[in-house]
Amino acid sequence: MKNFVFFLPLLLVSCFSNVDPKFQADYTQIKSKFKEPLTKYFPKILPNEYQDFRYSSGLAQYEVSSFLELKTQYLSEWMFNSVKNKLITKYLSKFSPSDSCVIKVFSGSVLSEEELIQKTKFLNINSSKCFPIPDFVINESKSRDDKIYVIEADSVNYFGKSDDPTFEKLFSKSEKPLIKYLPDKWSKGYSLGITTNDDNLTINYWLIIW
């Protein structure tokens, strides 16, 4: 009986959501814009620990990527480690924000192709053998103790037509313009992963498609 009383608070915390239902509905609707295989590592609903989420559809003329980002921060170290350890059982690469071997995918919006070229021409120097991640992962990092995990990445064209119904065209937009700021191997594709900080107990989920 004592064991039941001890675990009850944890059970209650995990079963009841304190998140505003409107935010939950917005998150579900936004996440549904991306095919489920690409969001399988994201929480099904917003956890109580959520701090912020945002996305870009990539529909604007000079948006060359779509992304989804969810930020969470835990009060319990035990809960943080439990969630993190499940997410990193298998990953492609792990590095810190200060590492030089990183390919940054532009996630911003510009008004012209010329502006896009200017903002991306120095984005990736000597990094052709690395894995791509969203540029905001590096830009938002405020600590050298952050750890970046690339869980999945592939050079697949998700913006074009596909014979695989699981990965049908995400949005009703024609072929994306090919801007030569990425290595040829990664001219198109997707990348998903997390950024963690053991001191701050934060886990940020991210996905980018270009």
Side-chain angles (χ1 to χ4, degrees):
M1 190 67 177
K2 287 183 179 180
N3 286 338
F4 177 79
V5 174
F6 177 77
F7 285 109
L8 184 57
L10 291 178
L11 182 62
L12 290 174
V13 168
S14 62
C15 291
F16 294 98
S17 173
N18 296 322
V19 179
D20 187 317
K22 181 182 183 305
F23 292 158
Q24 288 286 14
D26 288 345
Y27 174 72
T28 301
Q29 190 268 336
I30 288 170
K31 192 160 69 77
S32 70
K33 292 179 179 293
F34 300 85
K35 296 305 172 183
E36 188 174 356
L38 299 179
T39 60
K40 59 188 175 186
Y41 293 101
F42 281 72
K44 293 186 182 299
I45 63 172
L46 285 177
N48 290 332
E49 296 80 9
Y50 115 91
Q51 299 289 303
D52 187 27
F53 72 88
R54 65 191 186 104
Y55 89 113
S56 169
S57 67
L59 286 173
Q61 184 176 2
Y62 292 107
E63 287 180 341
V64 292
S65 65
S66 299
F67 69 80
L68 179 63
E69 182 184 26
L70 170 65
K71 298 181 179 182
T72 64
Q73 183 171 25
Y74 289 81
L75 297 177
S76 162
E77 185 175 355
W78 176 87
M79 185 69 75
F80 165 80
N81 286 323
S82 176
V83 173
K84 185 187 80 168
N85 290 337
K86 287 179 181 177
L87 290 168
I88 62 173
T89 53
K90 187 177 181 181
Y91 57 86
L92 297 175
S93 181
K94 173 187 175 183
F95 50 92
S96 66
S98 60
D99 288 348
S100 58
C101 188
V102 58
I103 300 174
K104 289 176 280 189
V105 180
F106 183 66
S107 62
S109 177
V110 294
L111 299 177
S112 67
E113 186 169 355
E114 290 73 21
E115 184 183 357
L116 182 60
I117 293 171
Q118 286 297 316
K119 288 196 171 185
T120 57
K121 65 180 179 180
F122 298 120
L123 201 58
N124 297 297
I125 305 296
N126 300 324
S127 56
S128 61
K129 296 182 180 179
C130 311
F131 285 102
I133 63 171
D135 55 357
F136 59 73
V137 170
I138 300 296
N139 298 339
E140 293 175 355
S141 179
K142 296 178 173 62
S143 171
R144 65 177 59 188
D145 295 323
D146 285 353
K147 299 301 179 188
I148 301 167
Y149 297 85
V150 179
I151 297 176
E152 283 188 16
D154 199 359
S155 54
V156 178
N157 180 15
Y158 286 111
F159 280 112
K161 294 181 179 179
S162 172
D163 294 330
D164 185 345
T166 306
F167 296 117
E168 67 186 57
K169 192 174 179 181
L170 288 173
F171 306 104
S172 57
K173 184 172 174 64
S174 61
E175 193 82 1
K176 290 284 180 179
L178 181 59
I179 305 299
K180 284 289 188 179
Y181 75 96
L182 292 168
D184 289 342
K185 178 183 177 181
W186 294 108
S187 60
K188 296 184 180 181
Y190 79 95
S191 178
L192 63 92
I194 60 171
T195 305
T196 68
N197 187 295
D198 290 353
D199 293 329
N200 298 331
L201 306 183
T202 56
I203 300 176
N204 295 344
Y205 303 76
W206 46 264
L207 160 69
I208 191 161
I209 308 164
W210 64 95

